[in-house]
Amino acid sequence: MAELERILKDYGEERNYTKIALAIMRARKEAPIETTEQLKNVVESVCPRHGKTHPATQTFQALRIACNQELQTVETVLNSLGAILRPGGRAAVLTFHSLEDRLVKNYFKMLSKTGDWKLINKHALAPSYEEVRQNRRS
């Protein structure tokens, strides 16, 4: 259970990680959780729905990140930048959630402190109002 709690807390940034982990463990004792619908119902049973975002969203994110080793993959790519880029080359990284974003920002800050790398933008770039108006997912 400790590993499941860690995954929910670290990868899902889930506030109710202990409650959800306990509910999942209890449900698994009765029968395997084989569908996303079953997992959704387990999470919903301990974290009722409030607002637009479903309470299981962060749980699914956490499990996906853990299963796909997404953060480790980002770290591998970042650690390979020195070998991939030519001298004077530039790297741009698109991130899709705060965990990846934080990892990339901290890595680039660390590289810039060595003096061998230069940050072009100190802050992440965000889409303009017009871009969001044309493509709200930007």
Side-chain angles (χ1 to χ4, degrees):
M1 184 167 122
E3 179 66 5
L4 182 55
E5 284 182 305
R6 185 192 66 76
I7 288 170
L8 295 173
K9 181 181 176 191
D10 293 349
Y11 296 158
E13 297 180 316
E14 176 60 65
R15 278 184 289 168
N16 299 309
Y17 63 92
T18 300
K19 221 190 268 192
I20 294 170
L22 275 170
I24 291 170
M25 298 306 285
R26 278 192 215 115
R28 287 176 61 198
K29 282 184 182 175
E30 292 176 25
I33 298 173
E34 296 178 333
T35 67
T36 56
E37 183 72 19
Q38 288 173 316
L39 180 57
K40 177 192 80 129
N41 291 336
V42 169
V43 174
E44 214 168 23
S45 73
V46 292
C47 297
R49 189 175 195 142
H50 299 296
K52 292 190 301 185
T53 306
H54 193 280
T57 300
Q58 290 173 281
T59 298
F60 281 104
Q61 173 183 303
L63 295 173
R64 186 200 73 231
I65 290 170
C67 287
N68 296 336
Q69 299 181 334
E70 293 176 18
L71 297 181
Q72 293 84 341
T73 302
V74 171
E75 284 179 357
T76 300
V77 170
L78 292 173
N79 288 326
S80 302
L81 284 178
I84 295 170
L85 291 175
R86 293 182 188 163
R90 294 181 180 196
V93 179
L94 299 179
T95 60
F96 295 96
H97 52 76
S98 61
L99 295 173
E100 290 175 343
D101 187 56
R102 193 174 311 127
L103 187 66
V104 170
K105 281 186 201 175
N106 289 337
Y107 190 80
F108 278 140
K109 281 180 189 173
M110 181 200 63
L111 286 177
S112 71
K113 287 180 182 177
T114 66
D116 297 332
W117 295 77
K118 179 181 160 193
L119 287 180
I120 296 171
N121 296 30
K122 292 191 184 216
H123 301 284
L125 299 177
S128 66
Y129 171 80
E130 182 61 26
E131 188 176 357
V132 172
R133 196 178 67 72
Q134 290 177 8
N135 175 10
R136 69 176 190 74
R137 294 184 71 190
S138 66

